[in-house]
Amino acid sequence: MTASKKIGIDAFLFKYDRNVTKNKVLDKINELNTDPRINGIITQLPLDSSSKFDYSDLTNKVFPDKDIDCLNCFNFEKISNHQFKNTFIPCAANACLKILESINFQIDDKRVVILGSSKLVGLPLKHMIDFKNGKTFLCNETTKNLKSLCQTADILIVAIGRSHLVDEGYIKSGAVVIDVGINYDETNGKITGDVHFEQALKKASYLTPVPGGVGPVTVAMLMVNTYLAAKIHYEKILQT
């Protein structure tokens, strides 16, 4: 909300209590889908709801042209097929690539281990890195010999949702480490990443902090997608 206000984008928050029904949320999504003043729609995940329904029941109802989080199955399939032109790119995944670009680190032929296989980060990031000729390995906590696999990575991207899971023992000397994790430590009220920052610094040549690393870039990518959605909307108007 703060970022959008700074650059002149009107943002609206529709907040529901935990007992909200799926149909009520779907009604709001349908209303926003048909509102010409609304260019982008996101569903905040994970869902904090007492009703047990799949988040895809909501995200797949968002019109593809307004799906700035790229969670609609239509848009996600485009990413899977490497169709990136005029396509919304998943924000956190795109943030990881933008960070690599900012340090002039070439992905081509590099060994990239992605720890975490979610639709928000891991899966789209694998498709995007494959397109750039990186050698990707997508894994999770159940992957056999996980630590050994991570130790082979030139680029280690961690998005698994486990505070300080990755320490120096997971990291090859000189590797680039990108920490996408955001965890709340109730004992001290602090935000932590999936990577133990102080230990990882002993091995990594580059390491993103939490907070203040991937998060702000992810927000910036969301603003880019919102601009693209508005551009697509007004180009359609001009063509009619």
Side-chain angles (χ1 to χ4, degrees), residues 121-136:
V121 185
L123 283 174
L125 193 52
K126 181 186 186 326
H127 295 305
M128 294 158 70
I129 292 175
D130 284 345
F131 182 72
K132 292 179 176 290
N133 298 317
K135 299 176 181 177
T136 58

Side-chain angles (χ1 to χ4, degrees), residues 19-229:
N19 298 318
V20 68
T21 65
K22 179 174 72 172
N23 286 338
K24 186 171 182 178
V25 181
L26 287 174
D27 286 344
K28 174 56 70 173
I29 290 174
N30 288 331
E31 175 190 325
L32 298 174
N33 276 336
T34 56
D35 188 338
R37 299 169 299 175
I38 302 298
N39 299 120
I41 303 170
I42 65 172
T43 303
Q44 185 64 51
L45 301 177
L47 297 176
D48 182 19
S49 172
S50 58
S51 302
K52 301 300 180 183
F53 54 86
D54 195 311
Y55 73 84
S56 62
D57 293 339
L58 305 180
T59 55
N60 284 334
K61 290 298 182 181
V62 176
F63 281 178
D65 284 355
K66 296 189 177 187
D67 174 36
I68 54 177
D69 245 358
C70 196
L71 288 173
N72 180 291
C73 59
F74 176 80
N75 285 336
F76 193 82
E77 185 176 0
K78 291 173 73 175
I79 298 297
S80 302
N81 293 327
H82 297 168
Q83 298 172 9
F84 300 117
K85 188 174 182 180
N86 291 325
T87 300
F88 300 125
I89 308 298
C91 301
N94 202 17
C96 294
L97 294 188
K98 293 298 182 184
I99 288 170
L100 290 171
E101 289 176 13
S102 74
I103 62 172
N104 296 316
F105 197 92
Q106 300 299 313
I107 296 173
D108 184 30
D109 208 35
K110 293 295 191 302
R111 190 176 176 93
V112 185
V113 174
I114 304 168
L115 181 46
S117 55
S118 74
K119 194 174 178 180
L120 278 170
V121 185
L123 283 174
L125 193 52
K126 181 186 186 326
H127 295 305
M128 294 158 70
I129 292 175
D130 284 345
F131 182 72
K132 292 179 176 290
N133 298 317
K135 299 176 181 177
T136 58
F137 298 84
L138 187 63
C139 54
N140 54 45
E141 285 185 277
T142 64
T143 301
K144 291 183 179 180
N145 302 316
L146 179 61
K147 182 179 284 191
S148 297
L149 178 61
C150 291
Q151 289 170 346
T152 67
D154 300 307
I155 304 169
L156 178 61
I157 301 173
V158 189
I160 203 163
R162 282 277 307 278
S163 179
H164 292 167
L165 173 68
V166 173
D167 57 23
E168 61 179 307
Y170 283 74
I171 301 168
K172 181 174 77 172
S173 181
V176 169
V177 180
I178 297 179
D179 188 354
V180 189
I182 300 177
N183 310 283
Y184 180 72
D185 189 336
E186 294 184 355
T187 60
N188 57 26
K190 292 184 177 180
I191 301 295
T192 64
D194 291 349
V195 177
H196 194 296
F197 190 82
E198 289 75 15
Q199 290 190 22
L201 276 177
K202 299 175 184 178
K203 289 280 194 69
S205 62
Y206 181 86
L207 171 64
T208 60
V210 176
V214 175
V217 187
T218 299
V219 174
M221 295 304 98
L222 182 61
M223 298 301 100
V224 169
N225 281 356
T226 305
Y227 167 78
L228 177 59

